[in-house]
Amino acid sequence: MATRHLFIELQTLNRRAKLKIIFAKFQCLCIIPALVGVDKKTCIQFCLCTFQEEMVIRPLYSGDIYASFQFRTQWDTDFLHDGKKVSHYRLFPKSLGQVLSKFSVRELHISFTQGYWRTMQWGQPFIPSPPGAELWVWFHHTVTDVDGNWKELTNVLSGIFCASLNFIDSTNTVEPSASFKPLGLGNATDHRFLRYATLPREIVCTENLTPWKKLLPCGSKAGLAVLMKSEKLFHSSFHSQAVHIRPVCKDWQCTSTAWELRQTLNVVFDLYTSGQGKKEWSLFKMFSRTLTEACPLASSSKIYVDVTDNPGGELFDLSPSSPLISTAVVLGDRRTYSVYDLTKKETFGQLRSLNLLLRWKGENDMLRPPLHAERYVSGFGLQKGEIHTCLYNSHPYRAYPVLLLDSLPWYLRLYVHTLTVTSKTRENKPSYIHYQPSKDRLRPHLLEMLVQLPPHSVTEVTVQFERALLKWTEYTPDPNHGFYIGSSVISALVPSIVAMDTNSTRDRPLFSSFFPTKEESSYFMRVYTEPLLVNLPTPDFSMPYNVICLTCTVVAVGYGSFYNLLTRTFQVDEPSAPLAKRLANIIRRLRGVPLL
Amino acid sequence: MAAPLTLVLILSVTIRAVLFRSSLAELISERVEVVSPLNAWKRVVEGLALLDLGVSPYSGDVFHETPLVIYLFHFVVDYAEIVFMVSTFEFSGKYNLFIKQKYALEADRYPHDCLELMRSPKEMHYIPLKVAMFYLLNPFTILSCVAKSTCGLNNAVMALFILSTLKGSALLSAIFLALATYQSIYPLTLFAPGLLFLLQRLYIPVNPCRSRFWFFTVQYSVMFIGSLLVIVCLSFFLLGSWDFIPSVYGFILSVPDLTPNIGLFWYFFAEMFEHFRFFFICVFQINVFFYTIPLSVKLKEHPVFLIFMQIAIISIFKSYPTVGDIALYMAFLPVWSHLYRFLRNIFLVSCVLLACTALFPVLWHLWIYAGSANSNFYYAITLLFNVGQILLVSDYFYAYLRREHHLSQGLYLRRKDGSEATLVLK
């Protein structure tokens, strides 16, 4: 039964992950010890290593959403026991285990954070951390040279996490006497064995996330860690990843100890940056992935959604709904959570994928502006492209004309015969077009046209262009950043529901009297689109001398060949006499004797 | 003779028609090796669209064709494909007459053992067909035609010039040369070979002391300059302004547009120091015209080969070359097939040219689309391609001169001591 379960799970993973998990599970089946004759109890003790993963989703008051991941591996072993070297690692990552035993570390806490936790808006985080990198370590009381160990430890961790922790030295390390007591077991309070350092300038990026993910037993292939895609995680207001290692009690009486490794990741997604202003959050929107299974090596895999503020479901809808509700006391407050157990097949439903969706109610009647525009560049490669400008008229029944002005630099060579204007998939010819083509290095393109926008429609204006190769001195110092193209300007007289006041001399607030109003039924509006960023092909900037030399060489090859053929004639080749004979002839000539 | 030629014509029409209707036509018409800012079809359409919008096509920097071309396509824009195919075919039809002329000039005043150097009438009989095949079925020509590049029209005009020169009609020759020069400035260098051929045909020796020589030269140059002026003024009256002169000729001579192509100019001027730009523009442009006088002096007895050399030099060193220009001088190669035995590097050169032709699209894709190569890769292949072409042309020149030497001195030369001699250039 267990093997069948194993094989079904394995189908969804790729080969490398499969091999890793087969090996780990195989060990746990304890087949080899059974063959040898060791009894099961010893065997379980031999490889007792548990892994739990959990995620908490907490909607914040400001419309942002807070997701906190915790991955806990607990292992009954003793790194610091003299004489017994640990060499058999299963779920606990070997790199960290070796670090712990080599440097006699009792507790290790390292965190990498980008952004600042805004307590007033977001409340308290589950695992707080300062911006930048923070490392604090309790060494074992048998260590004689704590500073030496600390220095080597920071360098090794720098390599493991691909961070520049090697900048931690005596200038930024302290030994706090009271603030950082051990969080795990341990009664030593000699603060000589504690070291604390922060690097506030340290930046967190994908290079730090990848080795952090590799420390997990399932990696980022199965379980909750599949949600960790760096392009979404780093596009957030707050991101913090941490590793906490400490010894803990295995049971209530604390008869034996175990090592606990907790990897935590906290992220806050902003309503406007990641959420596009809509109060609706889902796993797909946050992480661009959904969950398909739990990590096979996890003994428990759960998602907790904080529904304390949503007792009757009147604030937001949570789908798919879960029957499991649990309460927990955290940070001095009793909170209610909707629990999703990923180890159960039913959680994933018919589609075998779980996408939690929180949709706020009553938020969708935003006032739509009557005129709105967007612009983007399409195409691929550095040879050509196409500019699309989309004009949205959201008035339900009135059509009105707009003037579109585009000023494009000369190095985007515009082809006006490819200009197309379509509304509702039909062609919409502009009634007035003024086009002034560009002159290289003198003036830009100017394209102005009057387009009639039908009611409640999207009008798309497209035009193709070619990208020019510029002289090497005409590029900016960062040429691969691209060139900025200014916004298009859309000017229109938009029909107004309320009658406008045409008397401009009457006493009015300043904000209503900027644009003059000539008619009562419409008001003047100007909309600017996004600027564009366009890449141009670049020559190699290190090559001026080389290019001049090589091209002139080719021209010289031509010149040389033609010169030879034009100035020389064919002659029969008389082989010259060997050197000795020639010298002899010279001497003979001097003597006046007949030559050889 | 007519049957194989018709067969070749039908085959080439089929290939072009198939390619015109396929999706490759769009792809080919955007390749930088096949079209340049001077002769791209997209730009012709853009010029016509600007004309329709009421804006002068020369007010921008997209259109660089001469006004006569606008007016030609204004009327036949829907039949553009047919126009291009027709121009290709009339080009290939030249060589029937051309070869007959060539043979007539070979008198038998050569040493006895050079008989094998002379071409038999049977060989000569097949040369027009070979030339037609070389031009019509040359992949370069096919690509150029499918891309609807106006290079095909330029080639047609030059072919008409060659035909009329060989037929001996000075007036027509001057008119077509003026038309070719009007299209792109470089055919101006063909004035010298045209003049030399006509002089040779009229049995006027090229001797500055003789008045007959000067008389004919002045007559020919007056016809040429006159027709050029007429065409330019006609263009002025068509569009009502002189804007086309800086847009067309200024563009060809000052090379402001650095779009990559198979020539040497683009990367050189993309990486040029501003201070020296004007100097090197002058150097590179003079380089095209520079070989006219020395070549004319050396090849004054052989104006037909001089025409070939001049066309080759123009195709290699012009400011915006395309594969259509290369196809023009490559079509001549079967005419000199008798020089094969004296060619020294033909295997190397053909390998280089084939390899470069294959690598051009690959390295372009890697630079522009994949982003894994940079402009240096494409530039390197450009250099190699041009070196290959230069070696080809100079090899043929060497072979021609060597054959002439053998025709006057004898084929099997012996040294003073009787052993077989080797010829060197000294």
Side-chain angles (χ1 to χ4, degrees):
Chain A
M1 183 60 201
T3 43
R4 204 167 131 230
H5 189 59
L6 172 67
F7 283 128
I8 292 167
E9 282 170 353
L10 287 174
Q11 273 162 11
T12 52
L13 300 169
N14 70 6
R15 201 161 158 258
R16 201 160 145 217
K18 278 182 197 170
L19 286 171
K20 190 174 167 188
I21 291 169
I22 286 175
F23 191 63
K25 276 245 164 176
F26 198 66
Q27 290 172 326
C28 202
L29 291 176
C30 296
I31 291 177
I32 294 173
L35 290 172
V36 172
V38 178
D39 68 52
K40 196 144 190 235
K41 193 164 172 203
T42 323
C43 168
I44 290 170
Q45 279 174 345
F46 177 65
C47 53
L48 190 59
C49 204
T50 54
F51 174 66
Q52 292 169 286
E53 54 178 16
E54 109 188 348
M55 175 164 110
V56 181
I57 297 179
R58 190 167 99 195
L60 299 169
Y61 186 65
S62 54
D64 306 326
I65 194 154
Y66 172 36
S68 173
F69 294 82
Q70 282 208 37
F71 301 91
R72 184 177 104 142
T73 308
Q74 191 166 324
W75 194 17
D76 298 341
T77 187
D78 201 349
F79 285 113
L80 301 177
H81 196 269
D82 299 313
K84 201 168 85 172
K85 193 159 178 269
V86 180
S87 54
H88 183 71
Y89 291 89
R90 211 186 117 227
L91 296 178
F92 201 93
K94 185 173 175 179
S95 50
L96 288 180
Q98 286 177 326
V99 161
L100 294 178
S101 47
K102 182 161 188 232
F103 299 110
S104 307
V105 169
R106 220 180 63 223
E107 263 189 45
L108 182 120
H109 301 270
I110 184 166
S111 74
F112 298 96
T113 311
Q114 175 193 311
Y116 177 65
W117 182 269
R118 305 198 175 271
T119 317
M120 289 301 288
Q121 281 126 10
W122 299 338
Q124 287 288 352
F126 294 115
I127 316 269
S129 50
E134 184 201 42
L135 172 66
W136 58 280
V137 174
W138 273 98
F139 288 95
H140 204 250
H141 57 82
T142 55
V143 173
T144 47
D145 180 16
V146 181
D147 287 316
N149 271 23
W150 170 249
K151 183 124 187 79
E152 279 187 45
L153 175 68
T154 51
N155 280 301
V156 167
L157 287 175
S158 180
I160 293 176
F161 291 105
C162 290
S164 41
L165 297 172
N166 51 312
F167 284 120
I168 293 178
D169 54 15
S170 59
T171 58
N172 48 24
T173 309
V174 291
E175 299 170 28
S177 62
S179 303
F180 282 93
K181 293 294 181 207
L183 287 176
L185 275 186
N187 47 9
T189 50
D190 190 351
H191 63 91
R192 285 183 297 129
F193 295 100
L194 167 65
R195 291 290 182 275
Y196 174 85
T198 50
L199 290 174
R201 208 186 162 178
E202 187 67 18
I203 303 172
V204 190
C205 57
T206 315
E207 269 178 6
N208 308 115
L209 183 66
T210 312
W212 186 91
K213 281 197 287 192
K214 281 204 182 127
L215 297 171
L216 295 169
C218 282
S220 56
K221 305 278 189 307
L224 288 171
V226 299
L227 295 176
M228 293 177 189
K229 292 281 162 223
S230 47
E231 64 259 3
K232 283 290 191 175
L233 280 182
F234 291 103
H235 197 62
S236 56
S237 307
F238 178 83
H239 169 95
S240 171
Q241 64 199 50
V243 171
H244 302 277
I245 305 177
R246 58 185 177 176
V248 292
C249 289
K250 253 186 11 193
D251 49 15
W252 178 242
Q253 285 87 10
C254 215
T255 46
S256 54
T257 59
W259 281 92
E260 181 195 75
L261 162 71
R262 283 200 194 212
Q263 287 181 254
T264 65
L265 192 133
N266 292 316
V267 61
V268 174
F269 291 104
D270 182 72
L271 176 64
Y272 297 101
T273 317
S274 314
Q276 290 136 30
K278 272 176 72 175
K279 275 187 94 166
E280 182 188 302
W281 291 106
S282 68
L283 282 184
F284 190 79
K285 194 172 180 188
M286 291 195 277
F287 302 105
S288 71
R289 283 292 303 265
T290 57
L291 288 166
T292 48
E293 59 177 341
C295 173
L297 298 168
S299 59
S300 114
S301 178
K302 289 197 167 75
I303 299 184
Y304 294 87
V305 182
D306 190 338
V307 293
T308 321
D309 300 321
N310 192 31
E314 68 264 6
L315 192 61
F316 60 81
D317 271 333
L318 178 60
S319 69
S321 59
S322 163
L324 297 167
I325 304 279
S326 83
T327 58
V329 177
V330 61
L331 298 168
D333 193 12
R334 179 172 289 277
R335 314 281 302 177
T336 317
Y337 296 94
S338 206
V339 184
Y340 293 83
D341 191 346
L342 298 179
T343 50
K344 295 196 169 44
K345 274 268 171 272
E346 308 80 69
T347 321
F348 296 101
Q350 289 274 34
L351 301 165
R352 299 189 65 177
S353 104
L354 174 66
N355 183 22
L356 289 175
L357 179 63
L358 289 83
R359 188 185 280 126
W360 270 255
K361 296 184 180 172
E363 293 277 342
N364 290 329
D365 291 333
M366 198 180 72
L367 175 68
R368 292 196 65 114
L371 178 63
H372 166 58
E374 280 174 355
R375 190 166 72 149
Y376 57 92
V377 169
S378 74
F380 59 94
L382 295 174
Q383 189 176 2
K384 53 188 173 47
E386 204 169 345
I387 297 181
H388 296 251
T389 312
C390 296
L391 304 164
Y392 296 88
N393 176 6
S394 53
H395 202 285
Y397 51 85
R398 291 284 299 273
Y400 51 86
V402 299
L403 265 173
L404 173 64
L405 169 74
D406 254 318
S407 166
L408 299 163
W410 65 267
Y411 40 82
L412 298 188
R413 297 178 203 273
L414 221 55
Y415 285 99
V416 124
H417 71 272
T418 56
L419 177 70
T420 54
V421 183
T422 46
S423 304
K424 293 181 177 170
T425 70
R426 274 197 331 210
E427 210 200 311
N428 179 2
K429 218 165 143 37
S431 47
Y432 167 76
I433 297 182
H434 169 62
Y435 176 59
Q436 192 191 53
S438 69
K439 269 244 173 263
D440 273 11
R441 302 178 181 92
L442 277 180
R443 58 164 201 250
H445 294 279
L446 174 71
L447 180 60
E448 249 184 304
M449 58 181 122
L450 184 71
V451 182
Q452 184 82 3
L453 300 184
H456 204 68
S457 66
V458 180
T459 305
E460 192 168 344
V461 179
T462 58
V463 67
Q464 286 179 13
F465 64 88
E466 243 175 41
R467 302 172 202 231
L469 184 73
L470 305 176
K471 298 184 201 166
W472 69 302
T473 47
E474 289 172 345
Y475 287 90
T476 54
D478 52 349
N480 290 303
H481 181 68
F483 285 77
Y484 284 97
I485 315 296
S487 312
S488 302
V489 186
I490 294 140
S491 321
L493 277 173
V494 179
S496 159
I497 307 164
V498 174
M500 303 294 293
D501 189 2
T502 50
N503 185 356
S504 56
T505 55
R506 203 164 331 154
D507 193 26
R508 291 197 287 195
L510 293 173
F511 58 77
S512 68
S513 59
F514 185 70
F515 287 113
T517 44
K518 299 275 168 36
E519 325 171 324
E520 287 190 2
S521 57
S522 56
Y523 62 94
F524 180 75
M525 192 156 117
R526 195 167 268 159
V527 176
Y528 291 95
T529 61
E530 301 96 328
L532 300 172
L533 189 60
V534 168
N535 269 92
L536 294 182
T538 58
D540 188 347
F541 297 99
S542 58
M543 291 277 284
Y545 284 114
N546 304 359
V547 167
I548 295 175
C549 291
L550 289 168
T551 311
C552 290
T553 305
V554 171
V555 174
V557 162
Y559 175 81
S561 324
F562 289 128
Y563 177 82
N564 269 344
L565 291 165
L566 288 168
T567 52
R568 297 184 189 199
T569 52
F570 284 101
Q571 289 167 22
V572 173
D573 182 32
E574 293 291 342
S576 55
L579 183 62
K581 210 170 177 185
R582 273 187 286 157
L583 278 175
N585 275 337
I586 291 168
I587 297 169
R588 282 183 162 227
R589 207 176 291 129
L590 286 173
R591 282 171 60 193
V593 159
L595 300 172
L596 280 171
Chain B
M1 193 55 219
L5 192 62
T6 326
L7 195 64
V8 168
L9 273 173
I10 291 173
L11 183 62
S12 52
V13 169
T14 318
I15 295 177
R16 283 165 173 76
V18 163
L19 281 173
F20 265 133
R21 294 280 164 249
S22 73
S23 60
L24 283 176
E26 172 106 20
L27 202 73
I28 292 171
S29 61
E30 279 173 356
R31 295 237 40 105
V32 287
E33 297 92 11
V34 183
V35 297
S36 73
L38 273 181
N39 51 29
W41 176 246
K42 199 168 179 187
R43 292 185 183 233
V44 173
V45 175
E46 176 71 8
L48 292 173
L50 284 174
L51 210 59
D52 285 337
L53 270 179
V55 178
S56 160
Y58 301 110
S59 58
D61 247 335
V62 165
F63 186 73
H64 300 287
E65 298 277 358
T66 53
L68 284 184
V69 167
I70 308 181
Y71 271 86
L72 171 69
F73 283 111
H74 201 58
F75 298 116
V76 299
V77 66
D78 297 324
Y79 309 105
E81 302 163 5
I82 301 180
V83 168
F84 284 108
M85 285 213 247
V86 160
S87 64
T88 326
F89 302 140
E90 55 126 356
F91 175 92
S92 63
K94 304 295 157 272
Y95 291 99
N96 292 319
L97 295 158
F98 168 53
I99 297 307
K100 293 192 182 107
Q101 305 288 341
K102 187 80 176 64
Y103 187 47
L105 291 171
E106 300 227 330
D108 48 354
R109 42 185 169 85
Y110 299 119
H112 193 58
D113 57 355
C114 293
L115 223 54
E116 56 190 85
L117 287 181
M118 302 286 291
R119 289 180 294 181
S120 61
K122 195 164 164 228
E123 269 172 37
M124 305 268 288
H125 188 255
Y126 281 110
I127 288 179
L129 178 65
K130 282 194 212 167
V131 169
M133 236 167 52
F134 252 65
Y135 189 73
L136 289 174
L137 299 179
N138 191 349
F140 289 158
T141 330
I142 296 177
L143 286 176
S144 196
C145 183
V146 171
K148 290 191 273 201
S149 155
T150 53
C151 189
L153 290 176
N154 295 351
N155 288 359
V157 171
M158 281 215 263
L160 281 168
F161 157 71
I162 296 173
L163 177 66
S164 48
T165 313
L166 291 171
K167 282 218 146 199
S169 155
L171 180 65
L172 274 181
S173 155
I175 291 174
F176 284 124
L177 183 63
L179 204 57
T181 311
Y182 165 76
Q183 280 288 102
S184 60
I185 307 174
Y186 299 108
L188 182 62
T189 59
L190 294 173
F191 180 83
L195 179 65
L196 283 172
F197 186 86
L198 290 167
L199 284 173
Q200 199 181 59
R201 202 158 190 279
L202 295 172
Y203 301 107
I204 302 171
V206 182
N207 192 343
C209 307
R210 306 284 289 269
S211 64
R212 276 183 77 191
F213 165 72
W214 284 114
F215 182 66
F216 188 78
T217 311
V218 164
Q219 206 180 8
Y220 189 64
S221 38
V222 160
M223 284 195 281
F224 169 67
I225 292 172
S227 26
L228 188 61
L229 281 173
V230 163
I231 296 171
V232 166
C233 291
L234 182 67
S235 315
F236 169 71
F237 286 119
L238 278 177
L239 281 178
S241 72
W242 293 108
D243 280 346
F244 72 97
I245 291 186
S247 250
V248 180
Y249 306 116
F251 182 79
I252 295 176
L253 289 175
S254 67
V255 192
D257 186 338
L258 299 170
T259 313
N261 49 57
I262 55 175
L264 297 165
F265 278 65
W266 63 279
Y267 206 52
F268 189 72
F269 290 105
E271 300 268 15
M272 175 51 62
F273 300 103
E274 274 310 309
H275 187 65
F276 295 108
R277 198 183 143 76
F278 182 65
F279 170 68
F280 278 105
I281 291 262
C282 295
V283 166
F284 271 54
Q285 297 290 3
I286 289 171
N287 187 44
V288 184
F289 295 97
F290 173 71
Y291 296 105
T292 313
I293 300 193
L295 277 173
S296 312
V297 167
K298 182 87 179 182
L299 292 172
K300 61 177 181 272
E301 315 282 319
H302 316 283
V304 182
F305 191 73
L306 181 60
I307 292 181
F308 165 70
M309 289 293 296
Q310 289 289 26
I311 291 179
I313 287 170
I314 293 172
S315 304
I316 299 170
F317 293 116
K318 70 191 289 195
S319 44
Y320 293 99
T322 61
V323 293
D325 301 308
I326 296 169
L328 179 60
Y329 77 81
M330 279 199 177
F332 271 90
L333 294 181
V335 180
W336 322 112
S337 54
H338 58 286
L339 299 174
Y340 183 75
R341 59 188 297 168
F342 300 117
L343 291 174
R344 293 179 299 174
N345 305 326
I346 195 65
F347 176 67
L348 176 73
V349 163
S350 38
C351 286
V352 164
L353 292 178
L354 277 173
C356 290
T357 315
L359 280 172
F360 269 122
V362 171
L363 292 169
W364 178 256
H365 177 85
L366 281 181
W367 172 26
I368 298 288
Y369 294 102
S372 51
N374 65 8
S375 49
N376 291 337
F377 292 72
Y378 193 77
Y379 167 65
I381 297 299
T382 304
L383 285 182
L384 198 58
F385 190 67
N386 284 307
V387 165
Q389 283 185 76
I390 291 170
L391 284 179
L392 176 71
V393 171
S394 59
D395 212 15
Y396 266 91
F397 193 21
Y398 171 86
Y400 194 85
L401 291 176
R402 182 141 172 194
R403 180 174 174 267
E404 292 304 312
H405 185 261
H406 281 303
L407 283 176
S408 56
Q409 308 289 335
L411 184 54
Y412 298 104
L413 300 169
R414 304 244 166 249
R415 261 190 242 130
K416 291 200 190 87
D417 52 5
S419 61
E420 197 172 327
T422 49
L423 273 185
V424 292
L425 277 174
K426 278 220 186 107

